Amino acid sequence: MSAANSQLRALPGPRKSTAQVRARGLHTPAFVTPAMMRRLKTYGATECVERDKLLFQQGERLVDFFIVVEGKLELYEQKGRASREVESVIGKLQFSGELDMLNDRPTLLNCRAVQATRVLRIGREAVRRLMRSELDIAELILTEWIIRRARLVDQRQGGIIVVGDSHAAETMRVERFLIGNGHPHQLIDSNCNLEAEVLLRALDVERDQLPVVFFSDGTTLRKPANTVLATKLGFDQDLCEDKAYDLAVVGGGPAGLAAAVYGASEGLATLIIEGTAPGGQAGTSSKIENYLGFPTGISGHALAQNATVQAQKFGARFAISRDVIDMQHSGSGYQLSLEGGKTIFAYAVVVATGARYRRLDVPNYRKFEYQGVHYAATAMEAARCIGKEVVVVGGGNSAGQAALYLAQSARHVHLLIRGEGLKSTMSAYLIQRIAASHRITLHTNSEVISVDGDTHLRSVTWCNRQTNEARHCQTGNMFVMIGALPNTEWLQGKLNLDANGFVVTAPNGNDGCVFQTSQPGIYAVGDVRSGSVKRVANAVGEGSVVVSHIHRHIAEQKLSETSSAVIA
Ligand SMILES: Cc1cc2nc3c(=O)[nH]c(=O)nc-3n(C[C@H](O)[C@H](O)[C@H](O)COP(=O)(O)OP(=O)(O)OC[C@H]3O[C@@H](n4cnc5c(N)ncnc54)[C@H](O)[C@@H]3O)c2cc1C
């Protein structure tokens, strides 16, 4: 670990202790039962480890899974040179691991024997088998791994430190990327932390190089692009160029995640390629209240994280932060080219690339994107609006949800719509709550005419088109939620698209499959599909159902490959 990194890790963080070795919380790791242990023994081998022996180290990939037979192990994070922070001590019938056991990313913790210890060691492949075959054990282990990851994220430990201006677009981009991917990190605001400022000066970091990301291996990156960060953190480790995947799912929103869960659970070798982070548009929703089975609602982030774990449990592989930029027919399937140069082959492709936000057409608008102009209202953005006035633009459900969510912490929310009212564009339950909120004012017939500021948005002016009255609001936060455009640039000339760029499916009513595009073996689901209902439930439904149509196509392609090989 570099001196600078060590110094930084010693800075006062949100929950920093002065003790050399600090144990976290009071969480007691789960136990397997003796009967489960007997079954688990068929998946691995027991071995003795001496006191202080390291079973794995932070940053190592593909580490094994350990269950304590007798003795004690400690899971911890190295903090600086001399101290460590203990995540948990695991004794007899307790076990190691967290969510990275389900993929090929580097592990976030160290594991050492506190005393002479006997462990059951289980390799990765056997862990995958056990996840599929031993349902009660898999449930117990997965629950513990989810809790362990949530604790790491909550404690902002086990991962990386981001130092930058917390209101700057680049810092927010990096933070959004890490949050979306459920990666633990700690943000230190360089404006409010004197020691961090001194350290940045000592490292000769210019303002335009912020944020600086410090990794536990002692390395740093200055203002890294998401792809660079993803590569460093191993988010694309699952991608294998030599393999022929049965199914490539492009896009990791609700539709793509559902296709991955069904594809992998039905035995297809499934790769999901996602440009940013699992969750898509839904991942930016603070609360989805109309999705079946969640009477108190569920945050889009939680829905995405749960679906990701579910897909990985069934063996789906994830390649994160790589947009697919091209697709070519190749033999019995398709060759997909990814940003950054890699290519993969798949017999069938599900296009689930959804849509992205529309922008307002006012001067200087782009200058303030992510510098006060937001497209999502999650906890991250809400934290920057506490006690302040904010503007939300849009009359759909997403704008309504955002206004209500922000009204919980902002001083006042101005909701701007172009129309006369919300009735034709927003669900009744949201309209009622907006009307009841004394912290939200609805401005009808209104359009934003200018945005102003310096490095950050400082004010928004809008005009009532009926009265011509202009209204000026000193605000640093405007949420623009005015609909979306399909993510189909990469499909121009490859698939039939409608006049608005959405993918046309079932061109000839072929196969009775409504998701079939103009090319055999390529299907489109969710928001990207022309005529689809733009809702989470529909995206999930389409992603789930499409897989049943794909099996036959893949079987036919593989059969034709075998026949050609026999003839040759
Ligand atoms: C703020 C907000 C709140 C909402 N609230 C609700 C609600 O309460 N209830 C409801 O039913 N619906 C809601 N919606 C709508 C709902 O989120 C969408 O209908 C749903 O997310 C569509 O899912 P999808 O998987 O089809 O596409 P998306 O969610 O758009 O996901 C597409 C994914 O594909 C990725 N991608 C795009 N291009 C590429 C590429 N070339 N290569 C790789 N990856 C790519 C994107 O990064 C994205 O992650 C809301 C939407 C928003 C924006």
Side-chain angles (χ1 to χ4, degrees):
M1 188 172 294
S2 74
N5 208 325
S6 224
Q7 200 180 338
L8 186 70
R9 273 160 214 281
L11 285 181
R15 291 175 180 79
K16 179 80 180 138
S17 157
T18 47
Q20 278 277 297
V21 177
R22 199 190 120 204
R24 292 194 189 125
L26 290 172
H27 171 70
T28 307
F31 294 85
V32 297
T33 64
M36 286 175 173
M37 189 63 167
R38 282 193 289 279
R39 275 148 63 203
L40 281 165
K41 280 185 175 162
T42 62
Y43 289 87
T46 49
E47 63 185 72
C48 293
V49 286
E50 300 155 13
R51 181 187 164 162
D52 278 336
K53 181 173 167 154
L54 272 176
L55 287 171
F56 55 80
Q57 261 182 301
Q58 216 167 324
E60 256 181 70
R61 292 207 159 96
L62 302 170
V63 302
D64 290 337
F65 177 50
F66 297 95
I67 304 141
V68 177
V69 180
E70 206 62 68
K72 269 195 183 102
L73 301 177
E74 186 179 77
L75 296 173
Y76 67 97
E77 187 194 1
Q78 194 65 45
K79 307 284 288 179
R81 287 211 174 93
S83 67
R84 58 181 195 275
E85 189 161 275
V86 179
E87 199 284 332
S88 45
V89 175
I90 50 179
K92 187 172 175 177
L93 298 179
Q94 293 175 316
F95 48 88
S96 67
E98 60 98 40
L99 288 180
D100 280 339
M101 288 298 299
L102 298 172
N103 52 49
D104 294 355
R105 296 179 191 176
T107 182
L108 300 172
L109 294 169
N110 299 278
C111 177
R112 76 172 188 105
V114 179
Q115 59 192 69
T117 299
R118 206 144 62 85
V119 294
L120 171 64
R121 180 192 283 266
I122 301 181
R124 281 293 173 121
E125 212 25 69
V127 170
R128 286 192 202 281
R129 256 191 301 121
L130 118 78
M131 283 287 151
R132 284 194 298 268
S133 318
E134 310 285 349
L135 293 189
D136 55 338
I137 304 179
E139 183 183 339
L140 188 134
I141 292 173
L142 262 185
T143 308
E144 179 62 22
W145 287 351
I146 291 169
I147 293 171
R148 200 167 276 159
R149 170 56 70 103
R151 274 162 54 84
L152 289 175
V153 171
D154 184 49
Q155 306 272 349
R156 300 164 201 171
Q157 304 294 337
I160 58 181
I161 299 175
V162 181
V163 181
D165 173 354
S166 68
H167 288 277
E170 287 297 303
T171 310
M172 288 179 78
R173 170 184 61 76
V174 167
E175 211 193 351
R176 194 175 301 114
F177 179 73
L178 293 168
I179 292 173
N181 284 294
H183 198 87
H185 65 282
Q186 181 185 337
L187 174 69
I188 297 179
D189 192 334
S190 50
N191 292 329
C192 312
N193 190 310
L194 197 66
E195 285 130 311
E197 213 184 310
V198 172
L199 180 66
L200 291 177
R201 231 177 288 137
L203 290 174
D204 265 341
V205 177
E206 303 288 338
R207 274 206 87 72
D208 64 0
Q209 294 176 318
L210 291 175
V212 180
V213 185
F214 293 78
F215 298 91
S216 52
D217 63 3
T219 58
T220 56
L221 285 173
R222 296 176 185 206
K223 202 164 77 177
N226 289 353
T227 42
V228 174
L229 201 50
T231 304
K232 173 74 188 172
L233 295 172
F235 289 0
D236 55 358
Q237 280 303 307
D238 280 5
L239 196 150
C240 181
E241 285 186 284
D242 306 330
K243 189 178 163 105
Y245 291 95
D246 291 328
L247 172 62
V249 180
V250 188
L257 288 167
V261 167
Y262 276 79
S265 67
E266 291 178 18
L268 299 178
T270 302
L271 176 71
I272 179 161
I273 307 163
E274 163 54 47
T276 315
Q281 295 169 76
T284 67
S285 170
S286 51
K287 193 159 260 193
I288 298 165
E289 289 196 65
N290 53 2
Y291 188 55
L292 188 74
F294 295 91
T296 55
I298 179 166
S299 81
H301 181 66
L303 187 71
Q305 296 284 311
N306 288 348
T308 303
V309 173
Q310 198 175 4
Q312 287 180 329
K313 181 189 101 169
F314 287 121
R317 315 294 295 195
F318 278 68
I320 302 289
S321 103
R322 296 274 178 271
D323 267 338
V324 174
I325 51 172
D326 194 20
M327 177 169 62
Q328 296 293 340
H329 196 264
S330 165
S332 334
Y334 292 90
Q335 201 85 34
L336 300 181
S337 307
L338 278 61
E339 206 185 353
K342 292 195 172 174
T343 54
I344 66 107
F345 172 87
Y347 289 102
V349 178
V350 168
V351 175
T353 48
R356 65 178 184 285
Y357 319 104
R358 274 183 206 274
R359 298 184 164 105
L360 286 178
D361 186 16
V362 285
N364 282 335
Y365 178 82
R366 298 295 285 266
K367 180 174 158 195
F368 300 117
E369 275 188 317
Y370 304 106
Q371 294 280 122
V373 170
H374 312 284
Y375 297 99
T378 66
M380 191 184 100
E381 289 83 11
R384 286 152 171 99
C385 300
I386 297 170
K388 298 177 179 163
E389 271 190 88
V390 304
V391 172
V392 176
V393 186
N397 279 359
S398 47
Q401 283 169 5
L404 285 163
Y405 178 61
L406 292 165
Q408 292 170 20
S409 52
R411 182 150 49 86
H412 201 81
V413 178
H414 298 278
L415 178 59
L416 271 52
I417 58 166
R418 283 203 301 197
E420 293 282 344
L422 295 169
K423 213 168 162 197
S424 59
T425 52
M426 197 181 282
S427 298
Y429 76 98
L430 292 171
I431 298 177
Q432 280 159 16
R433 284 186 215 166
I434 287 169
S437 170
H438 62 279
R439 289 218 187 147
I440 304 176
T441 305
L442 176 67
H443 301 267
T444 56
N445 300 305
S446 296
E447 269 178 39
V448 173
I449 50 172
S450 71
V451 287
D452 285 295
D454 35 58
T455 54
H456 198 274
L457 179 74
R458 302 284 171 207
S459 71
V460 176
T461 308
W462 63 89
C463 177
N464 183 309
R465 290 291 174 210
Q466 276 191 337
T467 61
N468 259 346
E469 192 189 333
R471 169 113 189 235
H472 185 74
C473 178
Q474 298 287 346
T475 179
N477 293 287
M478 175 168 76
F479 294 80
V480 179
M481 290 161 164
I482 53 170
L485 298 165
N487 289 316
T488 49
E489 293 88 345
W490 63 290
L491 294 170
Q492 301 282 345
K494 313 263 175 210
L495 299 180
N496 285 354
L497 306 178
D498 70 14
N500 295 315
F502 290 88
V503 181
V504 174
T505 53
N508 311 312
N510 8 6
D511 286 357
C513 175
V514 291
F515 310 114
Q516 167 77 62
T517 67
S518 50
Q519 290 296 325
I522 303 183
Y523 306 81
V525 291
D527 277 16
V528 78
R529 192 173 75 79
S530 178
S532 72
V533 177
K534 311 303 186 221
R535 286 279 183 273
V536 173
N538 184 63
V540 170
E542 293 193 359
S544 313
V545 172
V546 71
V547 171
S548 60
H549 298 276
I550 292 174
H551 283 289
R552 203 174 73 203
H553 172 81
I554 295 175
E556 281 168 8
Q557 297 309 306
K558 289 186 175 174
L559 187 68
S560 77
E561 267 184 0
T562 319
S563 318
S564 318
V566 171
I567 292 163

